Amino acid sequence: SSPYGCDSESSLGKNEFHCDATPKGIVGGTSTGTWLLIFLMVGIIAYLGIGIGYNYSEGRRGEEMLPHLDMWKDLGGLIYDGFKYVTSCGEYREGVQYDTIG
């Protein structure tokens, strides 16, 4: 066995600084994480493509063509409110006022 992590049976890119040999038992290929990223990107592209196409056919132009535009505009504030609510252990309720009973 070589001190560089390559044995005499592997000859792929072997030198004293680097060994490109694939360890025995490990099969190359696409990982689960790679497939998830591919599906996520395809989903995002399909979401935007179909949404923009539909909104264009409805006569919308510019930023109004983005699907669910109001939700995307409100998302930052919703995340902020959720963060404040969680970090205050449920005490945070900005702008919410209740009527007193009795």
Side-chain angles (χ1 to χ4, degrees):
S1 178
S2 160
Y4 308 112
C6 297
D7 56 11
S8 59
E9 295 175 12
S10 63
S11 61
L12 298 173
K14 182 171 63 171
N15 64 34
E16 63 183 75
F17 301 108
H18 183 70
C19 177
D20 290 335
T22 303
K24 293 178 182 175
I26 296 179
V27 178
T30 308
S31 69
T32 304
T34 301
W35 282 114
L36 289 174
L37 287 175
I38 290 170
F39 286 129
L40 178 67
M41 293 305 296
V42 168
I44 289 171
I45 291 169
Y47 168 76
L48 288 173
I50 293 168
I52 289 171
Y54 174 77
N55 287 336
Y56 182 83
S57 72
E58 293 289 312
R60 297 183 182 124
R61 299 295 182 264
E63 76 173 11
E64 292 178 350
M65 289 174 44
L66 291 174
H68 306 104
L69 179 62
D70 291 335
M71 189 271 306
W72 292 113
K73 285 183 174 182
D74 293 341
L75 186 61
L78 293 171
I79 291 172
Y80 174 79
D81 287 344
F83 178 77
K84 292 297 275 184
Y85 182 81
V86 169
T87 58
S88 70
C89 296
E91 299 291 323
Y92 177 77
R93 287 178 173 66
E94 183 176 318
V96 175
Q97 294 183 353
Y98 297 102
D99 295 332
T100 54
I101 298 176

